[in-house]
Amino acid sequence: MAYFKNVNKVNYEGPSTQNPFAFKYYNPEETMKNGQTMEEFLRFSVAYWHTFVGDGSDPFGQGTMVRPWNKFSGMDLAKARVEAGFELFEKLNVPFFCFHDVDIAPEGETLKETYDNLDEIVGMLKGYMKTSKTKLLWNTANMFTHPRWLHGAASSPNADVFAYAAAKVKKGLEVGKELGAENYVFWGGREGYETLLNTDMKLEQDNLARFFHMAKDYAQEIGFDAQFLIEPKPKEPTKHQYDFDVATGLAFLQSYDLTDHFKFNIEANHATLAGHSFEHELRVARINGMLGSVDANQGDTLLGWDTDEFPTDMYATTLAMYEILKNGGLGTGGLNFDAKLRRGSFEPDDLFHGHIAGMDSFAIGAKVAERLIEDKVFDSFVDERYSSYKEGIGLDIVEGKTDLHKLEKYALELGSIRNHSGRQEKLKGLLNQYLLEALTK
Ligand code: XLS
Ligand code: CA
Ligand code: CA
């Protein structure tokens, strides 16, 4: 059965096409300056939860999404979603997808029943994946929706909940291995607290670390070599989430001797919720060798919550691709559209419009960022800006040859200090010039 009858395979037709179901800037076969094709470099992925499960409901209103597979229920619905999934993957020509366990199969009355449901759908996915090019970028366990997680999962005060969470992750790692997942994600939606008055923060964080160690040990035991990723988010649903941002997550991993086994999955909207820019989070991860993967979406500056919109802001995609190119790509990671349509965009066709807009926006970002790097637009400026550390006292500082005595002596002999302009406005103008040039070429 075809679920998306209005749409055929989406091809690259270039910027002048009038076809809404065509890529204008994303050409999967185009070779980038690093020799990879756009498809190989950008590694786009569809998020199962938003695309096949999300119904558009919000705290004020019921779901709005019209989805042809919604005529089914239970396991039949789960199977219909797999069929619709591979139809969309093929038509969009995406190399990856991602899911939570509960996205692909309904929870049963018991954990055993949940496992059985999962096994059946995993078998079906495996069958489809045999002939499809679309692979699993990552999977994860949903440990935030069901009421049992109301106080958290691995950070719950209830040891039974901790054990249940461990079982879910054990199964998730087995599923990831079975389907050849390239990464495994931990997003701690309820791993945090609502009030310190009832919280043993030290025990909760120690337990979270114990949990991660056990997961890593089990992955090794079964030979599942996916990259583990922590996805930071400061709040929502909890008031405070332990993996607040990359810097906080990194300090946690360092304290608990976990840095060798984890990298970060950075979501644009989570960065802004933490009071950072998307590129800030990518930079912090990159300079620490911890940039693993990206949840590609965008928030709304007028709304204070996680709106998960499809990414269309070309400044943001350009500055994100700048970091990703500087990182030498995302390795086993990818650009996963953890993005949902607005409530008013309820037709199945909108799923294609959202993904096409997102893929084109990142393709533009990649092209502009490539040129900015090739022409050393910011690099040469930054290089010059820090040139005082290349000789004299600066070089001594960098080489660890100074102490406060030596620096005081130097400072006492200094005449007037001369600073140089940071030229922020000039650099932003250059960014505009490169963006517009890329679009008009
Ligand atoms: C929610 C998160 C979640 C993770 C996976 O805000 O983005 O969807 O990506 O659990
Ligand atoms: Ca996410
Ligand atoms: Ca989000």
Side-chain angles (χ1 to χ4, degrees):
M1 158 165 193
Y3 290 97
F4 303 102
K5 294 204 178 81
N6 298 340
V7 189
N8 297 317
K9 187 161 182 214
V10 179
N11 293 310
Y12 170 73
E13 292 183 11
S16 54
T17 184
Q18 297 299 312
N19 178 3
F21 296 115
F23 297 120
K24 286 90 195 164
Y25 301 96
Y26 174 60
N27 179 359
E29 282 154 26
E30 187 177 322
T31 309
M32 303 199 25
K33 293 188 197 292
N34 66 7
Q36 283 183 302
T37 62
M38 277 201 163
E39 178 174 289
E40 286 164 346
F41 186 73
L42 294 167
R43 296 169 63 86
F44 287 127
S45 159
V46 170
Y48 212 91
W49 52 103
H50 287 310
T51 297
F52 307 111
V53 183
D55 66 358
S57 56
D58 72 9
F60 301 93
Q62 298 168 1
T64 58
M65 298 296 156
V66 175
R67 298 291 178 252
W69 49 89
N70 278 350
K71 60 181 179 224
F72 299 106
S73 64
M75 284 298 280
D76 290 338
L77 173 58
K79 288 174 194 168
R81 282 177 176 143
V82 175
E83 288 170 8
F86 281 86
E87 184 186 335
L88 180 131
F89 302 156
E90 211 163 288
K91 288 185 169 170
L92 265 182
N93 191 20
V94 279
F96 294 103
F97 71 115
C98 295
F99 62 78
H100 301 86
D101 45 9
V102 303
D103 304 333
I104 60 164
E107 287 206 10
E109 290 293 314
T110 62
L111 185 58
K112 173 73 180 58
E113 239 179 84
T114 301
Y115 283 178
D116 292 343
N117 291 348
L118 263 175
D119 287 340
E120 194 175 342
I121 301 299
V122 166
M124 188 175 169
L125 285 170
K126 207 173 170 186
Y128 271 84
M129 286 170 79
K130 267 194 197 124
T131 53
S132 163
K133 76 179 227 183
T134 308
K135 296 189 284 183
L136 186 56
L137 187 67
W138 51 261
N139 62 313
T140 185
N142 175 321
M143 302 197 290
F144 44 90
T145 300
H146 191 278
R148 78 176 70 85
W149 312 117
L150 85 180
H151 293 311
S155 67
S156 170
N158 183 345
D160 286 351
V161 175
F162 185 102
Y164 202 99
K168 287 256 283 183
V169 167
K170 178 174 179 287
K171 183 70 180 169
L173 296 171
E174 290 159 10
V175 165
K177 178 169 189 220
E178 180 76 10
L179 296 177
E182 300 199 13
N183 308 272
Y184 187 86
V185 164
F186 294 87
W187 171 59
R190 297 191 192 274
E191 309 290 29
Y193 66 83
E194 296 297 329
T195 171
L196 285 176
L197 299 180
N198 65 13
T199 301
D200 184 341
M201 188 193 262
K202 177 80 169 76
L203 179 65
E204 289 198 2
Q205 294 208 14
D206 287 351
N207 279 348
L208 201 52
R210 288 184 183 105
F211 192 86
F212 288 146
H213 273 285
M214 286 188 255
K216 170 205 89 182
D217 291 345
Y218 187 66
Q220 273 164 4
E221 185 186 323
I222 63 172
F224 178 40
D225 59 3
Q227 174 66 52
F228 276 14
L229 300 171
I230 282 188
E231 183 178 324
K233 184 174 182 179
K235 56 192 168 192
E236 201 199 351
T238 49
K239 188 164 83 172
H240 177 86
Q241 193 165 308
Y242 292 136
D243 305 321
F244 191 93
D245 60 2
V246 174
T248 313
L250 183 57
F252 174 87
L253 294 175
Q254 284 165 344
S255 306
Y256 291 101
D257 192 24
L258 284 161
T259 40
D260 289 349
H261 307 283
F262 284 82
K263 286 186 176 174
F264 291 98
N265 181 38
I266 294 167
E267 181 178 315
N269 203 166
H270 296 181
T272 47
L273 280 176
H276 303 307
S277 62
F278 184 18
E279 63 269 22
H280 165 96
E281 286 293 81
L282 293 167
R283 176 74 62 95
V284 177
R286 169 167 80 78
I287 62 175
N288 286 289
M290 298 292 277
L291 177 49
S293 198
V294 168
D295 270 5
N297 63 15
Q298 70 186 30
D300 186 319
T301 47
L302 300 182
L303 299 171
W305 63 92
D306 192 15
T307 59
D308 286 345
E309 294 172 32
F310 274 94
T312 51
D313 176 341
M314 295 183 292
Y315 280 107
T317 59
T318 298
L319 296 176
M321 288 317 301
Y322 190 84
E323 297 302 324
I324 293 167
L325 279 162
K326 287 266 180 190
N327 196 56
L330 289 168
T332 61
L335 295 171
N336 171 48
F337 290 108
D338 189 353
K340 64 180 177 212
L341 298 166
R342 299 307 87 192
R343 260 170 82 72
S345 309
F346 54 87
E347 294 174 355
D349 290 3
D350 290 308
L351 289 170
F352 285 86
H353 296 315
H355 283 94
I356 291 169
M359 290 159 90
D360 275 336
S361 300
F362 270 95
I364 292 167
K367 286 181 180 213
V368 179
E370 261 188 338
R371 286 189 200 137
L372 287 166
I373 291 170
E374 191 178 57
D375 294 353
K376 297 191 179 353
V377 176
F378 305 132
D379 278 338
S380 53
F381 185 81
V382 170
D383 212 44
E384 178 57 29
R385 190 165 185 234
Y386 292 87
S387 58
S388 67
Y389 288 94
K390 285 188 191 129
E391 57 187 17
I393 194 74
L395 188 60
D396 286 349
I397 293 171
V398 169
E399 290 183 342
K401 292 181 184 156
T402 52
D403 57 22
L404 292 188
H405 296 288
K406 192 170 169 186
L407 290 168
E408 182 190 48
K409 183 166 178 294
Y410 180 86
L412 284 169
E413 285 163 13
L414 263 181
S416 58
I417 291 176
R418 198 171 146 247
N419 269 314
H420 300 279
S421 170
R423 301 261 188 264
Q424 187 168 320
E425 296 76 7
K426 178 185 167 192
L427 296 173
K428 287 189 172 175
L430 278 167
L431 175 57
N432 279 354
Q433 211 178 334
Y434 270 76
L435 243 163
L436 286 168
E437 204 180 298
L439 294 176
T440 47
K441 248 185 201 156

